[in-house]
Amino acid sequence: MSEWLVLTLAMAAACAVVLAVTQLRHRRTGDDYDASETPDVIEYMTMMIGVVYAIVLGLAIAGVWEARGAAQEHVRVEAQALHEVSERARVYPEDVRDQIRADVRAYVSHVVTTEWDTMRKKNELTGRGTELLAHVRHDVTDYQPKSDFEAQAYQPLVDAVAAADDARSARADSVGATMPGVVWFGLIAGGLVTIGMIFALQIRRTRRELILAGVFSALFAFLLFLIWDFDAPYSRGIAATAEPFHMMFPGIGG
């Protein structure tokens, strides 16, 4: 099922529930019920609950958005480091240079095809990717420079491989969901409480109030969906992509 279809259904369901509860509530009240008399304390509590929940929602959205940005940055750093390895290897003899570049391209090809699909479906990296990066490391570290020029390029190459390995480890740490279950419980429970305060305000069945109540509940559904969508940086709709690898290594992975 499409994520946008899920969002549409969730927003429609939130509106329907609020409107249905409002209708049922009014059917159970007598004709002499005065909906205009709302205690001041309830209005104050509703306002404070709305403010607090808005702050919590804002922090949650900022957190998952920052996590997504960090995940994309890990991919960029890894791609840039491997690109540096491939380019700096030009100072080495032809056979060593070609071997390093071939292993780098084999690793990148595996990442943008097999490993990326594994990240989306299983929220983990592949052992094969670890092996291929180890081959690149061995190509670089096992070579003994035969001139001062090659010796000057050796350490930057080692550092670039280390940077790629570090970025890969950071990418592995960012694969899964970033929001703990207890936070999700608080967000959902807080949303239900906040929407429930609509009924404490003794909402009436006028068209304006019903529309506002429906839009209010649909907005909460949208914001919670947005947090859920950003929560897994590599596997959902607005996710981090492998575009840096495609930019640095054109033609790899289709």
Side-chain angles (χ1 to χ4, degrees), residues 5-48:
L5 179 58
V6 172
L7 172 60
T8 302
L9 293 176
M11 294 175 66
C15 291
V17 169
V18 170
L19 298 180
V21 172
T22 302
Q23 294 292 335
L24 290 175
R25 180 171 176 269
H26 276 277
R27 287 182 181 179
R28 297 181 62 181
T29 57
D31 295 335
D32 59 343
Y33 179 75
D34 187 1
S36 63
E37 295 182 359
T38 300
D40 293 340
V41 66
I42 293 183
E43 293 183 356
Y44 176 77
M45 290 174 59
T46 302
M47 178 187 68
M48 291 305 299

Side-chain angles (χ1 to χ4, degrees), residues 151-168:
Q152 291 175 2
Y154 178 80
Q155 190 58 47
L157 275 169
V158 172
D159 292 342
V161 174
D165 190 25
D166 184 63
R168 175 181 171 80

